[in-house]
Amino acid sequence: MYIGNFATSSNHIQPVMQALEYIGKLPRAPLQEVIDSLKEFGSLPENWDSYGSARIGEGVIEDAIRVVKAFDALQQEVYFVAPGPNGEISLELENSISNRSLEILIYPDNKWKYLRFEAKDFVAQGNMTTHDIRSHQDWLQGR
């Protein structure tokens, strides 16, 4: 079988196909698009969801951008971001090869929380800071 400009035997095809499958499953958004989306959350008014939601503050947006950039520096993209009703921002990361995902919630009171999932099953949660980003990245990678 040929992939790109090189031939590969059946012994080597599995890792290549896994990598291609991984790349194909995740929607890719350039870093700047993710950052722009986060900045747009700052324009949401109070009650943006018509259920009494809080405004997304500048500090929360700055923290979210800092986390996204830190993961990007580790070659891990954030594939989904969303505002929350309590003024928080949710960031979601995924590794299809390890079948793990991570949700990070950044709250206005400078508290960050994480939720870990393996094969879509909840496995752990807790508080986090920027110092924990590397360990979360290692976990996502299955290390």
Side-chain angles (χ1 to χ4, degrees):
M1 172 178 222
Y2 283 88
I3 297 179
N5 293 326
F6 66 94
T8 181
S9 69
S10 60
N11 294 0
H12 297 98
I13 193 67
Q14 186 64 26
V16 172
M17 294 308 289
Q18 284 178 334
L20 291 174
E21 180 181 346
Y22 171 66
I23 290 167
K25 280 187 178 177
L26 293 180
R28 299 292 181 186
L31 176 62
Q32 193 57 51
E33 284 183 29
V34 173
I35 291 171
D36 290 346
S37 292
L38 291 169
K39 288 179 178 179
E40 286 178 19
F41 295 160
S43 65
L44 294 172
E46 290 282 329
N47 196 31
W48 56 265
D49 64 355
S50 74
Y51 292 100
S53 60
R55 237 179 137 297
I56 309 297
E58 193 61 37
V60 174
I61 294 168
E62 289 170 5
D63 285 349
I65 291 170
R66 187 172 30 253
V67 172
V68 167
K69 285 181 175 181
F71 274 105
D72 185 71
L74 297 171
Q75 306 302 310
Q76 177 66 54
E77 294 180 1
V78 172
Y79 78 93
F80 181 78
V81 298
N86 299 310
E88 78 274 18
I89 291 178
S90 174
L91 309 173
E92 294 186 21
L93 304 93
E94 180 178 78
N95 184 313
S96 295
I97 294 172
S98 68
N99 206 17
R100 293 178 173 182
S101 61
L102 175 71
E103 182 176 356
I104 299 171
L105 299 165
I106 300 173
Y107 289 95
D109 57 5
N110 293 320
K111 289 185 181 169
W112 302 358
K113 298 193 182 291
Y114 72 88
L115 295 104
R116 288 180 173 180
F117 300 88
E118 201 160 349
K120 306 293 183 199
D121 294 324
F122 169 80
V123 294
Q125 69 179 358
N127 296 319
M128 71 172 282
T129 68
T130 53
H131 301 292
D132 302 316
I133 289 173
R134 170 63 82 171
S135 65
H136 286 297
Q137 169 65 4
D138 288 345
W139 179 83
L140 274 170
Q141 298 299 319
R143 297 182 223 153

